[in-house]
Amino acid sequence: MSGDLPDRILAAVRAVAGEGGLPLHAPEFEGHEADYVRDCIETGWVSTAGAYVGRFERALEAFTGVDHAIAVVNGTAALHMSLMLAGVGPGDEVLTPALTFVATANAVSHCGARPHFVDACPDRLAVDPVALEAHLQAVTRIQDGLCVNRTTGATVRALTVTHVFGIPADLPALADVCARWNLALVEDAAEALGSTQDGGHVGGAGLAAALSFNGNKIVTTGGGGAILTRDPDVAGRARHLTTTARRGGGWTYDHDAVGWNYRLPNLNAALGVAQMERLPDMLARKRGLADRYAAAFADLKGIRILTEPAGCRTNAWLNALVLARPDRAVRDAILERLNADGVQVRPLWTLMHRLPMYADAPRAALPVAEALEDAVINLPSSAALGR
C-alpha cells in the first residue's frame, strides 16, 4: 500500500491544485499594494514615522478585535519583545513547544533565558495542556509565588504557545494551566492571522501575542510582525521599547531604558495596509481550497488531511497531511516524489531538541511531537489556488 502512496497523493493534489509548478505558499498582490508603496516613495515617508504604520496597526486591531497592535520588523522581534514584557530574563526558563519554527525558541534565547520543551497534541499540533500539567506537577513547584524547576532551580516564567499552521491551540485549557502555575501566556500567532476559537480571534488570550508578515504568510509586508495585547500598559511599554526607548520628541535624544530599533518601516506597512484590505477574500479562497483538499483525500487510505478542531475556524494557512502510521521513509518518499514533479511540499520543522544549540535544554517526554515529525506533510496552499 505505501509503495504507491506517493503517486496517489500526487494525483490528488494535481486534481485539486492543477498542473505546473506549485509553490508551498506564494504572496498575492492584486490590490493597492503598488499605489501605497509608490505614495511612500513619492512623499519621502519611507521609514518608521510614516502614516501607513498607524493605519496598519489600526487595521490589525479592527480585524482581530485585540485592543492594541504594535507593528515591528519581524515575527521574531514580536516574540522577543512579548517575552521581555512578560518579565523573562537571564536565567529564567520558558516552556516552549518542541514542535515549532526555530524563531520561537530563539526568542527565548534572545532574552538570555532557556527554552524548556514540551509536547504536542495530535489534533492541533500545539502544546498539549494535559501533558503540560502532568509535566509541571512532576518537575516544578510553586515557591514564593513563582514556578520553579526543582532540578535546575530556575524560575519558569512563561509559556509560549504556537498556533501551528494557523490551527488554534487549546487556549482556554492552556490559560487555566498558566493561572495555576503563575505563568505568563505568550501566543506565537505568527501563522494564525484569521484564525478564531469560540468566535474570538487568537492573540488575545494571554499577556501578548506575536504575528508575522513574512513573504510566505497570508498577509505579507515583505518582512514584518506585530505584537497584540489587550493591556494598555503592556502596549505602551511595547511601543516605547521598540522605538529605542526614546522620550519626548523634537531635536532631543533622551532614552530612559535599553531599547530596540524594532519598529516597522512605512514602506512595509503600506504593503500591509493593502493586503489587509484583501484579507477576507484571500481567507475565503484558502478555505475553499482546504475544503477541496479534504474531499480529495477523504477516501485515500493510509493518510488523512488535518482538520480544524471543534469550535475553531482556521485560516487554512498551510494544509497538512498526516500519515496513519508515522514512518520517516514513507514521508520522505512522498516529499521526493511530489517535489520532483514541481509540487512544493514540506515536512514539519526539525524538532527543537534535535538542534545542536538546544540539545541540552530541559524537556518533557515528547512522544507525540516525535511521532508527528515523521508523519506530517504540508501541501501547496496559496490563496490563488482557491479560485
Side-chain angles (χ1 to χ4, degrees):
M1 177 68 71
S2 62
D4 66 343
L5 186 58
D7 288 332
R8 291 186 290 125
I9 291 173
L10 175 61
V13 172
R14 287 295 188 194
V16 170
E19 299 301 316
L22 297 173
L24 186 67
H25 198 285
E28 185 176 287
F29 307 113
E30 297 182 353
H32 294 108
E33 289 88 351
D35 295 334
Y36 294 167
V37 171
R38 188 180 302 112
D39 180 48
C40 293
I41 295 170
E42 291 176 350
T43 61
W45 290 101
V46 297
S47 194
T48 58
Y52 284 102
V53 178
R55 285 180 60 182
F56 186 46
E57 291 172 338
R58 302 296 83 74
L60 290 170
E61 292 163 358
F63 184 82
T64 64
V66 180
D67 300 323
H68 307 282
I70 300 91
V72 295
V73 291
N74 52 51
T76 304
L79 275 171
H80 175 211
M81 187 52 51
S82 294
L83 290 168
M84 294 288 291
L85 294 165
V88 175
D92 289 339
E93 292 179 8
V94 175
L95 297 162
T96 307
L99 197 168
T100 190
F101 181 57
V102 71
T104 316
N106 285 348
V108 176
S109 297
H110 296 332
C111 295
R114 199 177 188 198
H116 182 144
F117 297 119
V118 293
D119 205 12
C121 52
D123 56 340
R124 298 175 187 260
L125 310 189
V127 173
D128 183 342
V130 175
L132 175 63
E133 175 70 29
H135 181 64
L136 285 166
Q137 290 181 4
V139 304
T140 70
R141 66 176 182 271
I142 297 296
Q143 178 179 315
D144 298 327
L146 299 173
C147 183
V148 176
N149 186 325
R150 295 176 187 170
T151 301
T152 65
T155 298
V156 184
R157 190 75 62 179
L159 167 68
T160 301
V161 177
T162 303
H163 302 297
V164 179
F165 309 146
I167 302 169
D170 189 348
L171 289 171
L174 291 166
D176 286 346
V177 174
C178 287
R180 284 193 294 275
W181 293 91
N182 293 344
L183 301 167
L185 175 59
V186 172
E187 295 177 58
D188 180 350
E191 304 164 0
L193 183 63
S195 296
T196 64
Q197 184 171 37
D198 299 327
H201 198 283
V202 300
L207 179 82
L211 298 175
S212 171
F213 307 111
N214 190 32
N216 64 350
K217 300 303 190 292
I218 301 176
V219 162
T220 182
T221 59
I227 301 159
L228 299 179
T229 182
R230 297 192 186 281
D231 188 320
D233 294 331
V234 170
R237 187 69 174 157
R239 199 174 298 279
H240 182 60
L241 291 176
T242 57
T243 318
T244 66
R246 185 178 179 184
R247 296 193 302 183
W251 57 84
T252 62
Y253 292 94
D254 185 18
H255 307 261
D256 61 2
V258 175
W260 290 265
N261 188 18
Y262 273 179
R263 291 289 274 150
L264 186 71
N266 202 45
L267 277 169
N268 300 86
L271 196 63
V273 170
Q275 291 268 284
M276 289 298 295
E277 291 173 351
R278 301 180 49 253
L279 179 56
D281 173 62
M282 289 191 287
L283 287 171
R285 286 187 279 121
K286 285 178 67 62
R287 286 195 64 86
L289 175 65
D291 290 342
R292 298 210 314 270
Y293 272 137
F297 286 100
D299 299 321
L300 195 57
K301 297 187 183 303
I303 202 156
R304 65 181 174 89
I305 196 84
L306 194 64
T307 57
E308 61 192 9
C312 297
R313 189 168 180 83
T314 81
N315 61 4
W317 176 55
L318 288 184
N319 295 281
L321 296 175
V322 184
L323 292 172
R325 296 181 60 183
D327 189 315
R328 179 67 62 98
V330 173
R331 186 205 72 174
D332 288 352
I334 295 167
L335 292 169
E336 290 170 5
R337 178 70 181 93
L338 272 71
N339 279 286
D341 201 67
V343 178
Q344 192 176 76
V345 290
R346 292 290 184 266
L348 280 175
W349 313 282
T350 300
L351 297 181
M352 294 299 99
H353 67 293
R354 302 198 197 281
L355 301 177
M357 61 281 199
Y358 296 127
D360 296 328
R363 65 178 185 264
L366 303 169
V368 176
E370 290 174 346
L372 288 167
E373 186 181 28
D374 291 339
V376 176
I377 297 164
N378 292 130
L379 301 176
S381 299
S382 303
L385 299 177
R387 286 192 170 91

